[in-house]
Amino acid sequence: SQQGEEDPQALSIQEGENATMNCSYKTSINNLQWYRQNSGRGLVHLILIRSNEREKHSGRLRVTLDTSKKSSSLLITASRAADTASYFCATDGGSTLGRLYFGRGTQLTVWP
Amino acid sequence: DTEVTQTPKHLVMGMTNKKSLKCEQHMGHRAMYWYKQKAKKPPELMFVYSYEKLSINESVPSRFSPECPNSSLLNLHLHALQPEDSALYLCASSHLGVNSPLHFGNGTRLTVT
């Protein structure tokens, strides 16, 4: 499978704490993307990091990419109850055809 | 709210019914996608349209028939479905190009009885 694999599968923290999720993948990539999904809703794109980038920031989000280890991490700082959701990493398998493969996801619960 | 609109939000259909899911976007995106998501699982790609032409079919059974009437609309026609086809069906769109993120609708929750 070309899908990414997130770790941990579930994460439970208190408001104000940082949350770190990891993603590993198997193939070459053009980019790696992170999405968030609230229960029963569609996915929302959070951040895209290109294969030649090592770190990217967006607000309280920090993403790192290590192509030599085929892994990425998503850090959410100062988490809020509203951050409770499932987080998925997605890779394109190096394809230019439009395929995007999603990992199993991490269920994040932030307690007030 | 999302910029990709899917209708209906919920659909219950029998195994002999014919129904259609609809998706609409007005962001000028020329790539559109159908994904299927079972509970507590990641989305799985079904179809990709580029410039209104089917470019990827991920070996989806023929009881699912996609259609892209124009650059803003994407349909998924359903016929003779099985109970195991019950899932959340997500539509997405994007600009063409490898570094274009997907914009998802909120999905249609389909139940096949």
Side-chain angles (χ1 to χ4, degrees):
Chain A
S1 168
Q2 300 184 52
Q3 293 174 343
E5 298 292 337
E6 284 91 341
D7 171 50
Q9 290 190 37
L11 181 60
S12 185
I13 59 175
Q14 294 290 131
E15 266 193 331
E17 295 181 338
N18 296 341
T20 299
M21 289 160 266
N22 302 298
C23 170
S24 60
Y25 58 93
K26 297 179 180 178
T27 68
S28 62
I29 59 172
N30 294 303
N31 63 66
L32 186 143
Q33 303 179 38
W34 286 90
Y35 288 80
R36 185 185 78 193
Q37 184 177 34
N38 289 85
S39 180
R41 309 277 287 180
L43 283 79
V44 175
H45 178 257
L46 295 176
I47 198 165
L48 180 152
I49 186 165
R50 301 183 186 211
S51 59
N52 61 353
E53 296 176 311
R54 291 297 166 257
E55 187 170 316
K56 201 162 183 181
H57 296 255
S58 177
R60 294 184 295 112
L61 305 180
R62 172 179 170 253
V63 169
T64 62
L65 179 64
D66 186 335
T67 53
S68 67
K69 295 181 179 178
K70 291 186 166 56
S71 66
S72 173
S73 67
L74 170 67
L75 169 67
I76 304 174
T77 60
S79 62
R80 305 166 181 167
D83 295 327
T84 295
S86 292
Y87 292 81
F88 295 93
C89 69
T91 60
D92 57 17
S95 168
T96 59
L97 297 176
R99 286 187 174 92
L100 199 61
Y101 300 98
F102 287 85
R104 292 177 306 181
T106 292
Q107 173 60 51
L108 173 66
T109 302
V110 182
W111 298 99
Chain B
D1 289 340
T2 71
E3 296 172 331
V4 177
T5 304
Q6 290 188 244
T7 56
K9 293 182 179 178
H10 300 275
L11 178 63
V12 179
M13 61 185 290
M15 290 188 284
T16 59
N17 292 158
K18 286 186 181 180
K19 297 285 184 183
S20 297
L21 310 185
K22 298 186 183 300
C23 174
E24 188 169 2
Q25 58 89 15
H26 294 286
M27 294 177 282
H29 291 164
R30 302 309 297 270
M32 297 188 77
Y33 311 77
W34 280 114
Y35 278 84
K36 173 184 177 179
Q37 186 178 27
K38 302 281 276 185
K40 299 190 184 303
K41 297 291 187 182
E44 294 179 354
L45 181 64
M46 300 175 72
F47 304 104
V48 180
Y49 274 83
S50 300
Y51 289 111
E52 297 91 66
K53 294 191 188 309
L54 183 65
S55 58
I56 295 175
N57 176 341
E58 292 284 79
S59 302
V60 179
S62 59
R63 57 186 184 268
F64 295 91
S65 176
E67 177 195 21
C68 191
N70 59 55
S71 60
S72 300
L73 295 174
L74 185 66
N75 298 322
L76 186 62
H77 303 297
L78 313 173
H79 174 55
L81 294 193
Q82 303 297 311
E84 57 265 30
D85 295 322
S86 298
L88 181 67
Y89 288 85
L90 294 162
C91 172
S93 68
S94 74
H95 290 297
L96 291 165
V98 296
N99 292 313
S100 298
L102 270 59
H103 296 251
F104 281 86
N106 281 324
T108 293
R109 175 72 60 189
L110 175 67
T111 302
V112 181
T113 61

